[in-house]
Amino acid sequence: MKKKGPNFIEQIIEGDIARGFDKKNLRFRFPPEPNGYLHIGHLKAICLNFNLGKKYNSPVNLRFDDTNPEKEAKEYVDAIKHDINWLGFDWDKECYASDYFDQLHEWAIILIKKNKAYIDSQTSEQIATQKGTPTKPGQNSPFRERPNEESLSIFEGMYKGEYNQGEHVLRAKIDMASPNMLMRDPVVYRVMKVSHHRTGENWNIYPMYDWTHGESDYIEQVSHSLCTLEFEPHRELYDWFLDAISPLEGIRPKQREFSRLNLSFTITSKRKLAQLVEKKIVSGWDDPRMPTISGLRKRGYTPQSLKNFAVTVGVSKRENVIDASLLEFCVRSHLNEIAPRAMAVINPLKIKIINYAKQEGEKINFDINPQNKEEGKREIIFTDEMFIEKEDFQENPEDGFFRLSPGEEVRLKNAYIIKAVDVLKDEKGGVTEVLCEYDPKSKSGTNTPESNRRVKGTIHWVSSKKAVRAKINIYDRLFKVEEPGKNETIENEINENSLITKEAFVEPYLSNAKDGQQYQFQRLGYFVKTDNKKTLEFNKTVGLRDGWKK
Ligand code: ATP
Ligand code: MG
């Protein structure tokens, strides 16, 4: 791959180092909220942070921003950890914002004591009507000048569970006229009598994400706090919160924002992906059509191809939409290098070679991977009865059809040249079997004049006497529109052909395929062995070429 120059984040870090920032103090983090599975968008943030860790030999924390127990669960924590490990990254500390709940609570009390926060006893609707608009200042709450002692006492009551959800909130006292709406006295704590997947029933109040996130970066001494562009206006608030609890010791995190990864034909919003799961449009978060890391893994994507994709996309501040074909290209390029080859026939049509006499058949050698000859050879048995793809035979060939048709010759890959001489049909006139003759001297690689004879087409095959059955799931893009989810009606945007299941015949050596192993089925595309224990099953990963080019 082309070596890229430093991205703008790296330039910022280099600048900081040049101005005297001690390299030893560099620390990064990836801060997911455990309310869903990681998706291809997160991949960008993961690669950015962990690659910085590698580049500067500095620690990268995995921090779960678990401030919203209603939506979060341990299942998501476990899936996120598994996915990051699978990508090949190791975090330094495994952190949870919930581990800082005590500290955040203490700091909240300091805010009140410093007259920087107050208890508002209005309803959330009332608070919302006072927010104003970006061009119109908001109104102060009637509780804004409530004595600090009173706020402290109510906050204590909230903490002890004496109030119900919605009765009171703690708000930062900033500026209801600020042009930055986030600075208009944001809520810092709310009453929420919900069990948390880590702290159980300990808390009756939970800190808001904005209060938690920036403080957590500071607690962990993250030097460069990297997030997506929509958090740019939050920076002012995080700074205000840090100033409010100062004096600070150690490092003050520097937040910088980069653009989100948007991919055509793909949804990169956990909320919308959750809808697909809840409405059972897909089989789960790890459905092979989902743009989740776990879905892509089941689809046969490799960690290397995903990381190559992230590097190719790069990091910038410009919002754009990446073509889904680029991701597929990265997967295809990597699989071309590493995937063993195999033959499979997905829409079988039987052929019989009437002049082939060897009962036991004969062994034909194939490269396991022509891109890497060292991987050696595999043997395939050639017999008088074969399956070829239905599409490789036409009784009345259309113009430009160069594969098998009556009277025409074609080569069976790595084996003999055959000619169709007759067809057998069912009562409806459908072709059930093609009778062929082969040229015994035309065997590939024997270097006879007949073997070097050129025919217009080469097709793949499996012996119908030796091949094994396999179930094949042919996946395609989940959405048929370029910007799914734009209009909230994702159900209507689903590609009805995104999963087609077939009964195929595959080379016998595939019956020993390991779960998760990818193969190139010659002429058909890349496929991965699933972990289905009952049947031999493969998922289609990606085609051999871009089938979506306009
Ligand atoms: P979603 O919109 O899917 O819920 P999120 O931003 O709420 O995403 P988090 O779990 O909070 O999800 O994200 C963890 C980190 O991943 C954040 O730093 C966030 O900026 C980053 N991230 C999320 N989506 C993308 C994306 N599409 N491109 C790049 N980074 C992303
Ligand atoms: Mg988020």
Side-chain angles (χ1 to χ4, degrees), residues 339-390:
R341 274 41 173 180
M343 289 206 288
V345 172
I346 290 186
N347 291 312
L349 170 66
K350 194 155 177 192
I351 63 168
K352 184 166 174 71
I353 304 169
I354 51 181
N355 62 338
Y356 188 82
K358 291 178 207 155
Q359 264 311 305
E360 67 290 2
E362 69 192 280
K363 289 173 184 162
I364 309 254
N365 279 328
F366 279 71
D367 285 325
I368 289 176
N369 185 350
Q371 300 288 315
N372 184 4
K373 299 269 187 199
E374 282 165 24
E375 286 180 30
K377 302 274 185 191
R378 67 189 204 271
E379 269 176 3
I380 310 185
I381 309 283
F382 185 92
T383 62
D384 61 337
E385 289 179 10
M386 301 285 199
F387 288 127
I388 62 167
E389 300 286 349
K390 274 201 177 94

Short mmCIF file of all heavy atoms in Angstrom, two decimals, residues 339-390:
data_model
loop_
_atom_site.label_atom_id
_atom_site.label_comp_id
_atom_site.label_asym_id
_atom_site.label_seq_id
_atom_site.Cartn_x
_atom_site.Cartn_y
_atom_site.Cartn_z
N ALA A 339 -6.50 -16.30 0.18
CA ALA A 339 -7.54 -17.34 0.18
C ALA A 339 -7.15 -18.53 -0.68
O ALA A 339 -6.83 -18.37 -1.86
CB ALA A 339 -8.85 -16.75 -0.31
N PRO A 340 -7.16 -19.75 -0.11
CA PRO A 340 -6.97 -20.93 -0.94
C PRO A 340 -8.08 -21.00 -1.99
O PRO A 340 -9.19 -20.53 -1.75
CB PRO A 340 -7.12 -22.10 0.04
CG PRO A 340 -7.08 -21.51 1.40
CD PRO A 340 -7.40 -20.06 1.28
N ARG A 341 -7.76 -21.58 -3.13
CA ARG A 341 -8.74 -21.72 -4.20
C ARG A 341 -9.51 -23.02 -4.05
O ARG A 341 -8.98 -23.99 -3.49
CB ARG A 341 -8.05 -21.70 -5.56
CG ARG A 341 -7.79 -20.32 -6.17
CD ARG A 341 -7.33 -19.27 -5.22
NE ARG A 341 -6.96 -18.04 -5.92
CZ ARG A 341 -6.52 -16.94 -5.33
NH1 ARG A 341 -6.37 -16.91 -4.01
NH2 ARG A 341 -6.22 -15.88 -6.03
N ALA A 342 -10.71 -23.02 -4.57
CA ALA A 342 -11.50 -24.25 -4.56
C ALA A 342 -12.50 -24.17 -5.69
O ALA A 342 -12.76 -23.08 -6.22
CB ALA A 342 -12.23 -24.41 -3.22
N MET A 343 -13.03 -25.32 -6.06
CA MET A 343 -14.09 -25.29 -7.07
C MET A 343 -15.41 -25.67 -6.40
O MET A 343 -15.48 -26.58 -5.58
CB MET A 343 -13.77 -26.21 -8.22
CG MET A 343 -12.62 -25.64 -9.07
SD MET A 343 -12.64 -26.18 -10.76
CE MET A 343 -12.13 -27.89 -10.55
N ALA A 344 -16.43 -24.93 -6.79
CA ALA A 344 -17.77 -25.18 -6.27
C ALA A 344 -18.73 -24.90 -7.42
O ALA A 344 -18.48 -24.04 -8.25
CB ALA A 344 -18.07 -24.23 -5.11
N VAL A 345 -19.80 -25.65 -7.46
CA VAL A 345 -20.81 -25.41 -8.48
C VAL A 345 -22.11 -25.10 -7.76
O VAL A 345 -22.61 -25.90 -6.98
CB VAL A 345 -20.96 -26.62 -9.42
CG1 VAL A 345 -22.15 -26.43 -10.34
CG2 VAL A 345 -19.67 -26.81 -10.24
N ILE A 346 -22.60 -23.90 -8.00
CA ILE A 346 -23.73 -23.41 -7.21
C ILE A 346 -25.08 -23.72 -7.88
O ILE A 346 -26.06 -23.99 -7.20
CB ILE A 346 -23.56 -21.89 -6.94
CG1 ILE A 346 -22.39 -21.69 -5.96
CG2 ILE A 346 -24.83 -21.30 -6.36
CD1 ILE A 346 -22.18 -20.29 -5.49
N ASN A 347 -25.12 -23.67 -9.20
CA ASN A 347 -26.35 -24.04 -9.93
C ASN A 347 -26.04 -25.24 -10.81
O ASN A 347 -25.80 -25.09 -12.01
CB ASN A 347 -26.83 -22.87 -10.79
CG ASN A 347 -27.33 -21.72 -9.96
OD1 ASN A 347 -28.10 -21.92 -9.03
ND2 ASN A 347 -26.85 -20.52 -10.27
N PRO A 348 -26.04 -26.44 -10.23
CA PRO A 348 -25.47 -27.57 -10.95
C PRO A 348 -26.28 -28.05 -12.17
O PRO A 348 -27.50 -28.10 -12.15
CB PRO A 348 -25.44 -28.67 -9.88
CG PRO A 348 -26.36 -28.23 -8.82
CD PRO A 348 -26.48 -26.76 -8.87
N LEU A 349 -25.54 -28.38 -13.20
CA LEU A 349 -26.08 -29.05 -14.38
C LEU A 349 -25.16 -30.24 -14.62
O LEU A 349 -23.93 -30.09 -14.63
CB LEU A 349 -26.05 -28.11 -15.60
CG LEU A 349 -26.37 -28.77 -16.94
CD1 LEU A 349 -27.82 -29.25 -16.98
CD2 LEU A 349 -26.11 -27.80 -18.10
N LYS A 350 -25.76 -31.39 -14.79
CA LYS A 350 -24.94 -32.60 -14.92
C LYS A 350 -24.43 -32.75 -16.35
O LYS A 350 -25.16 -32.48 -17.31
CB LYS A 350 -25.78 -33.82 -14.55
CG LYS A 350 -24.96 -35.04 -14.33
CD LYS A 350 -25.70 -35.99 -13.41
CE LYS A 350 -24.88 -37.25 -13.25
NZ LYS A 350 -25.66 -38.29 -12.61
N ILE A 351 -23.18 -33.16 -16.47
CA ILE A 351 -22.67 -33.55 -17.79
C ILE A 351 -22.09 -34.96 -17.68
O ILE A 351 -21.58 -35.36 -16.62
CB ILE A 351 -21.60 -32.57 -18.35
CG1 ILE A 351 -20.35 -32.54 -17.48
CG2 ILE A 351 -22.16 -31.17 -18.51
CD1 ILE A 351 -19.18 -31.82 -18.14
N LYS A 352 -22.22 -35.68 -18.77
CA LYS A 352 -21.63 -37.02 -18.79
C LYS A 352 -20.69 -37.10 -19.97
O LYS A 352 -21.05 -36.73 -21.10
CB LYS A 352 -22.73 -38.08 -18.90
CG LYS A 352 -22.17 -39.50 -18.83
CD LYS A 352 -23.25 -40.53 -18.60
CE LYS A 352 -22.68 -41.94 -18.69
NZ LYS A 352 -21.82 -42.27 -17.53
N ILE A 353 -19.47 -37.57 -19.69
CA ILE A 353 -18.48 -37.68 -20.76
C ILE A 353 -18.53 -39.11 -21.27
O ILE A 353 -18.04 -40.03 -20.62
CB ILE A 353 -17.08 -37.28 -20.24
CG1 ILE A 353 -17.16 -35.87 -19.63
CG2 ILE A 353 -16.05 -37.32 -21.37
CD1 ILE A 353 -15.95 -35.47 -18.84
N ILE A 354 -19.16 -39.27 -22.42
CA ILE A 354 -19.52 -40.64 -22.84
C ILE A 354 -18.32 -41.46 -23.31
O ILE A 354 -18.35 -42.68 -23.26
CB ILE A 354 -20.64 -40.62 -23.92
CG1 ILE A 354 -20.27 -39.67 -25.07
CG2 ILE A 354 -21.97 -40.19 -23.31
CD1 ILE A 354 -21.32 -39.59 -26.16
N ASN A 355 -17.24 -40.80 -23.74
CA ASN A 355 -16.08 -41.59 -24.18
C ASN A 355 -14.97 -41.66 -23.12
O ASN A 355 -13.84 -42.00 -23.42
CB ASN A 355 -15.51 -41.02 -25.50
CG ASN A 355 -15.03 -39.58 -25.33
OD1 ASN A 355 -15.45 -38.89 -24.42
ND2 ASN A 355 -14.14 -39.15 -26.23
N TYR A 356 -15.31 -41.31 -21.89
CA TYR A 356 -14.30 -41.38 -20.81
C TYR A 356 -14.46 -42.72 -20.11
O TYR A 356 -15.51 -43.00 -19.50
CB TYR A 356 -14.50 -40.24 -19.81
CG TYR A 356 -13.38 -40.15 -18.79
CD1 TYR A 356 -12.18 -39.50 -19.09
CD2 TYR A 356 -13.53 -40.70 -17.52
CE1 TYR A 356 -11.17 -39.43 -18.16
CE2 TYR A 356 -12.51 -40.62 -16.58
CZ TYR A 356 -11.34 -39.98 -16.90
OH TYR A 356 -10.33 -39.90 -15.98
N ALA A 357 -13.42 -43.56 -20.16
CA ALA A 357 -13.60 -44.96 -19.76
C ALA A 357 -13.09 -45.27 -18.36
O ALA A 357 -13.49 -46.25 -17.75
CB ALA A 357 -12.91 -45.86 -20.77
N LYS A 358 -12.18 -44.39 -17.83
CA LYS A 358 -11.56 -44.77 -16.55
C LYS A 358 -12.59 -44.72 -15.43
O LYS A 358 -13.02 -43.64 -15.01
CB LYS A 358 -10.43 -43.80 -16.22
CG LYS A 358 -9.23 -43.93 -17.13
CD LYS A 358 -8.18 -42.90 -16.75
CE LYS A 358 -7.35 -42.55 -17.97
NZ LYS A 358 -6.73 -41.25 -17.93
N GLN A 359 -12.95 -45.88 -14.95
CA GLN A 359 -13.97 -46.00 -13.91
C GLN A 359 -13.60 -45.21 -12.65
O GLN A 359 -14.44 -44.52 -12.07
CB GLN A 359 -14.15 -47.49 -13.54
CG GLN A 359 -15.31 -48.14 -14.26
CD GLN A 359 -16.60 -47.33 -14.19
OE1 GLN A 359 -17.07 -46.99 -13.11
NE2 GLN A 359 -17.17 -46.98 -15.35
N GLU A 360 -12.33 -45.36 -12.26
CA GLU A 360 -11.90 -44.75 -10.99
C GLU A 360 -11.60 -43.24 -11.15
O GLU A 360 -11.32 -42.55 -10.17
CB GLU A 360 -10.68 -45.50 -10.43
CG GLU A 360 -9.38 -45.39 -11.23
CD GLU A 360 -9.41 -46.15 -12.57
OE1 GLU A 360 -10.43 -46.75 -12.98
OE2 GLU A 360 -8.35 -46.11 -13.25
N GLY A 361 -11.64 -42.78 -12.38
CA GLY A 361 -11.33 -41.37 -12.62
C GLY A 361 -9.83 -41.13 -12.57
O GLY A 361 -9.04 -42.09 -12.58
N GLU A 362 -9.44 -39.86 -12.51
CA GLU A 362 -8.01 -39.57 -12.39
C GLU A 362 -7.81 -38.29 -11.59
O GLU A 362 -8.68 -37.43 -11.52
CB GLU A 362 -7.36 -39.45 -13.77
CG GLU A 362 -7.78 -38.24 -14.55
CD GLU A 362 -7.35 -38.33 -16.01
OE1 GLU A 362 -6.17 -38.06 -16.28
OE2 GLU A 362 -8.20 -38.68 -16.85
N LYS A 363 -6.59 -38.24 -11.00
CA LYS A 363 -6.31 -37.08 -10.14
C LYS A 363 -5.78 -35.91 -10.97
O LYS A 363 -4.92 -36.10 -11.81
CB LYS A 363 -5.25 -37.46 -9.11
CG LYS A 363 -5.77 -38.42 -8.07
CD LYS A 363 -4.64 -38.90 -7.19
CE LYS A 363 -5.16 -39.95 -6.22
NZ LYS A 363 -4.04 -40.74 -5.66
N ILE A 364 -6.28 -34.75 -10.69
CA ILE A 364 -5.79 -33.55 -11.36
C ILE A 364 -5.25 -32.62 -10.28
O ILE A 364 -5.88 -32.44 -9.23
CB ILE A 364 -6.94 -32.82 -12.10
CG1 ILE A 364 -7.68 -33.81 -13.00
CG2 ILE A 364 -6.43 -31.58 -12.82
CD1 ILE A 364 -7.43 -33.71 -14.45
N ASN A 365 -4.07 -32.04 -10.54
CA ASN A 365 -3.46 -31.14 -9.55
C ASN A 365 -3.83 -29.69 -9.79
O ASN A 365 -3.80 -29.21 -10.92
CB ASN A 365 -1.93 -31.27 -9.60
CG ASN A 365 -1.49 -32.48 -8.81
OD1 ASN A 365 -2.13 -32.84 -7.82
ND2 ASN A 365 -0.42 -33.11 -9.25
N PHE A 366 -4.13 -29.03 -8.71
CA PHE A 366 -4.44 -27.61 -8.77
C PHE A 366 -3.57 -26.88 -7.75
O PHE A 366 -3.33 -27.41 -6.66
CB PHE A 366 -5.90 -27.37 -8.37
CG PHE A 366 -6.92 -27.61 -9.45
CD1 PHE A 366 -7.19 -28.89 -9.89
CD2 PHE A 366 -7.59 -26.55 -10.02
CE1 PHE A 366 -8.14 -29.12 -10.87
CE2 PHE A 366 -8.54 -26.76 -11.00
CZ PHE A 366 -8.82 -28.05 -11.44
N ASP A 367 -3.18 -25.66 -8.06
CA ASP A 367 -2.51 -24.84 -7.04
C ASP A 367 -3.51 -24.53 -5.94
O ASP A 367 -4.65 -24.17 -6.23
CB ASP A 367 -2.07 -23.49 -7.63
CG ASP A 367 -0.86 -23.62 -8.51
OD1 ASP A 367 0.00 -24.46 -8.20
OD2 ASP A 367 -0.80 -22.89 -9.52
N ILE A 368 -3.05 -24.62 -4.69
CA ILE A 368 -3.93 -24.17 -3.61
C ILE A 368 -4.12 -22.66 -3.74
O ILE A 368 -5.23 -22.15 -3.64
CB ILE A 368 -3.35 -24.56 -2.23
CG1 ILE A 368 -3.49 -26.08 -2.07
CG2 ILE A 368 -4.06 -23.81 -1.10
CD1 ILE A 368 -2.90 -26.66 -0.84
N ASN A 369 -3.02 -21.97 -4.02
CA ASN A 369 -3.15 -20.53 -4.26
C ASN A 369 -2.10 -20.10 -5.29
O ASN A 369 -0.92 -20.04 -4.96
CB ASN A 369 -2.95 -19.76 -2.95
CG ASN A 369 -3.20 -18.28 -3.15
OD1 ASN A 369 -3.35 -17.80 -4.28
ND2 ASN A 369 -3.27 -17.54 -2.05
N PRO A 370 -2.53 -19.79 -6.52
CA PRO A 370 -1.57 -19.39 -7.55
C PRO A 370 -0.79 -18.13 -7.18
O PRO A 370 0.28 -17.88 -7.72
CB PRO A 370 -2.44 -19.15 -8.79
CG PRO A 370 -3.85 -19.11 -8.31
CD PRO A 370 -3.91 -19.81 -7.00
N GLN A 371 -1.32 -17.34 -6.21
CA GLN A 371 -0.59 -16.14 -5.77
C GLN A 371 0.56 -16.53 -4.84
O GLN A 371 1.40 -15.69 -4.53
CB GLN A 371 -1.51 -15.21 -4.97
CG GLN A 371 -2.71 -14.70 -5.72
CD GLN A 371 -2.32 -13.68 -6.77
OE1 GLN A 371 -1.52 -12.79 -6.49
NE2 GLN A 371 -2.85 -13.83 -7.97
N ASN A 372 0.54 -17.74 -4.36
CA ASN A 372 1.55 -18.18 -3.42
C ASN A 372 1.80 -19.67 -3.63
O ASN A 372 1.24 -20.52 -2.94
CB ASN A 372 1.06 -17.89 -1.98
CG ASN A 372 2.12 -18.22 -0.96
OD1 ASN A 372 3.25 -18.60 -1.32
ND2 ASN A 372 1.76 -18.13 0.30
N LYS A 373 2.67 -19.96 -4.60
CA LYS A 373 2.87 -21.35 -5.04
C LYS A 373 3.35 -22.25 -3.91
O LYS A 373 3.17 -23.46 -3.94
CB LYS A 373 3.89 -21.39 -6.19
CG LYS A 373 3.45 -20.62 -7.43
CD LYS A 373 2.69 -21.52 -8.39
CE LYS A 373 2.41 -20.80 -9.70
NZ LYS A 373 1.32 -21.43 -10.46
N GLU A 374 4.00 -21.62 -2.90
CA GLU A 374 4.54 -22.43 -1.80
C GLU A 374 3.46 -23.18 -1.03
O GLU A 374 3.74 -24.13 -0.32
CB GLU A 374 5.30 -21.54 -0.81
CG GLU A 374 6.67 -21.18 -1.31
CD GLU A 374 7.28 -20.03 -0.54
OE1 GLU A 374 6.88 -19.80 0.62
OE2 GLU A 374 8.15 -19.36 -1.11
N GLU A 375 2.24 -22.71 -1.17
CA GLU A 375 1.17 -23.41 -0.45
C GLU A 375 0.89 -24.78 -1.04
O GLU A 375 0.14 -25.57 -0.46
CB GLU A 375 -0.10 -22.56 -0.43
CG GLU A 375 0.01 -21.41 0.53
CD GLU A 375 -1.24 -20.55 0.56
OE1 GLU A 375 -2.34 -21.09 0.33
OE2 GLU A 375 -1.10 -19.34 0.78
N GLY A 376 1.48 -25.03 -2.19
CA GLY A 376 1.40 -26.39 -2.73
C GLY A 376 0.17 -26.65 -3.59
O GLY A 376 -0.45 -25.72 -4.10
N LYS A 377 -0.13 -27.92 -3.69
CA LYS A 377 -1.17 -28.36 -4.64
C LYS A 377 -2.29 -29.06 -3.89
O LYS A 377 -2.11 -29.59 -2.80
CB LYS A 377 -0.57 -29.38 -5.62
CG LYS A 377 0.62 -28.86 -6.42
CD LYS A 377 0.14 -28.15 -7.65
CE LYS A 377 1.33 -27.74 -8.52
NZ LYS A 377 0.93 -26.83 -9.58
N ARG A 378 -3.42 -29.12 -4.52
CA ARG A 378 -4.50 -29.97 -4.05
C ARG A 378 -4.90 -30.87 -5.20
O ARG A 378 -4.68 -30.54 -6.37
CB ARG A 378 -5.68 -29.12 -3.56
CG ARG A 378 -6.36 -28.35 -4.66
CD ARG A 378 -7.37 -27.36 -4.10
NE ARG A 378 -8.41 -27.04 -5.06
CZ ARG A 378 -8.33 -26.05 -5.95
NH1 ARG A 378 -7.24 -25.30 -6.05
NH2 ARG A 378 -9.34 -25.82 -6.77
N GLU A 379 -5.50 -32.00 -4.86
CA GLU A 379 -5.88 -32.96 -5.90
C GLU A 379 -7.39 -32.96 -6.07
O GLU A 379 -8.13 -32.96 -5.09
CB GLU A 379 -5.50 -34.38 -5.44
CG GLU A 379 -4.13 -34.80 -5.86
CD GLU A 379 -3.78 -36.17 -5.31
OE1 GLU A 379 -4.61 -36.81 -4.64
OE2 GLU A 379 -2.63 -36.58 -5.55
N ILE A 380 -7.83 -32.99 -7.29
CA ILE A 380 -9.26 -33.11 -7.55
C ILE A 380 -9.45 -34.30 -8.49
O ILE A 380 -8.67 -34.49 -9.42
CB ILE A 380 -9.83 -31.85 -8.21
CG1 ILE A 380 -9.39 -30.62 -7.42
CG2 ILE A 380 -11.35 -31.93 -8.30
CD1 ILE A 380 -9.99 -29.35 -7.91
N ILE A 381 -10.46 -35.09 -8.19
CA ILE A 381 -10.71 -36.28 -9.03
C ILE A 381 -11.60 -35.90 -10.20
O ILE A 381 -12.67 -35.30 -10.01
CB ILE A 381 -11.39 -37.40 -8.20
CG1 ILE A 381 -10.61 -37.65 -6.91
CG2 ILE A 381 -11.55 -38.67 -9.05
CD1 ILE A 381 -9.35 -38.45 -7.07
N PHE A 382 -11.10 -36.27 -11.36
CA PHE A 382 -11.86 -36.06 -12.59
C PHE A 382 -12.57 -37.37 -12.91
O PHE A 382 -11.97 -38.44 -12.88
CB PHE A 382 -10.86 -35.71 -13.71
CG PHE A 382 -11.50 -35.34 -15.02
CD1 PHE A 382 -11.80 -34.02 -15.31
CD2 PHE A 382 -11.80 -36.32 -15.97
CE1 PHE A 382 -12.37 -33.66 -16.53
CE2 PHE A 382 -12.39 -35.97 -17.17
CZ PHE A 382 -12.68 -34.64 -17.45
N THR A 383 -13.87 -37.31 -13.17
CA THR A 383 -14.62 -38.54 -13.48
C THR A 383 -15.48 -38.32 -14.72
O THR A 383 -15.52 -37.21 -15.27
CB THR A 383 -15.53 -38.93 -12.30
OG1 THR A 383 -16.47 -37.88 -12.10
CG2 THR A 383 -14.76 -39.19 -11.02
N ASP A 384 -16.18 -39.36 -15.11
CA ASP A 384 -17.00 -39.24 -16.33
C ASP A 384 -18.29 -38.46 -16.10
O ASP A 384 -18.95 -38.08 -17.05
CB ASP A 384 -17.32 -40.63 -16.90
CG ASP A 384 -18.11 -41.49 -15.93
OD1 ASP A 384 -18.03 -41.21 -14.70
OD2 ASP A 384 -18.80 -42.43 -16.36
N GLU A 385 -18.64 -38.26 -14.81
CA GLU A 385 -19.83 -37.48 -14.54
C GLU A 385 -19.48 -36.25 -13.71
O GLU A 385 -18.79 -36.37 -12.69
CB GLU A 385 -20.87 -38.33 -13.80
CG GLU A 385 -21.47 -39.37 -14.72
CD GLU A 385 -22.49 -40.26 -14.00
OE1 GLU A 385 -22.86 -39.94 -12.85
OE2 GLU A 385 -22.89 -41.26 -14.59
N MET A 386 -19.95 -35.14 -14.17
CA MET A 386 -19.53 -33.86 -13.58
C MET A 386 -20.73 -32.96 -13.37
O MET A 386 -21.77 -33.12 -14.02
CB MET A 386 -18.63 -33.11 -14.57
CG MET A 386 -17.41 -33.83 -14.97
SD MET A 386 -16.25 -33.77 -13.62
CE MET A 386 -14.79 -34.17 -14.55
N PHE A 387 -20.52 -31.95 -12.51
CA PHE A 387 -21.44 -30.82 -12.47
C PHE A 387 -20.71 -29.60 -13.01
O PHE A 387 -19.54 -29.37 -12.66
CB PHE A 387 -21.89 -30.50 -11.05
CG PHE A 387 -22.84 -31.51 -10.45
CD1 PHE A 387 -22.57 -32.08 -9.21
CD2 PHE A 387 -24.02 -31.85 -11.12
CE1 PHE A 387 -23.45 -33.00 -8.65
CE2 PHE A 387 -24.90 -32.77 -10.55
CZ PHE A 387 -24.61 -33.35 -9.32
N ILE A 388 -21.42 -28.88 -13.84
CA ILE A 388 -20.94 -27.55 -14.23
C ILE A 388 -22.07 -26.57 -13.89
O ILE A 388 -23.17 -26.99 -13.53
CB ILE A 388 -20.58 -27.47 -15.74
CG1 ILE A 388 -21.82 -27.73 -16.60
CG2 ILE A 388 -19.44 -28.44 -16.08
CD1 ILE A 388 -21.63 -27.38 -18.08
N GLU A 389 -21.80 -25.28 -13.99
CA GLU A 389 -22.86 -24.30 -13.72
C GLU A 389 -23.85 -24.30 -14.87
O GLU A 389 -23.45 -24.32 -16.05
CB GLU A 389 -22.29 -22.88 -13.59
CG GLU A 389 -21.29 -22.67 -12.49
CD GLU A 389 -21.90 -22.64 -11.09
OE1 GLU A 389 -23.13 -22.57 -10.94
OE2 GLU A 389 -21.09 -22.72 -10.13
N LYS A 390 -25.11 -24.22 -14.51
CA LYS A 390 -26.17 -24.11 -15.54
C LYS A 390 -25.86 -22.98 -16.53
O LYS A 390 -26.07 -23.12 -17.73
CB LYS A 390 -27.52 -23.79 -14.88
CG LYS A 390 -28.28 -25.00 -14.42
CD LYS A 390 -29.77 -24.68 -14.27
CE LYS A 390 -30.52 -25.92 -13.87
NZ LYS A 390 -30.69 -26.00 -12.39
#
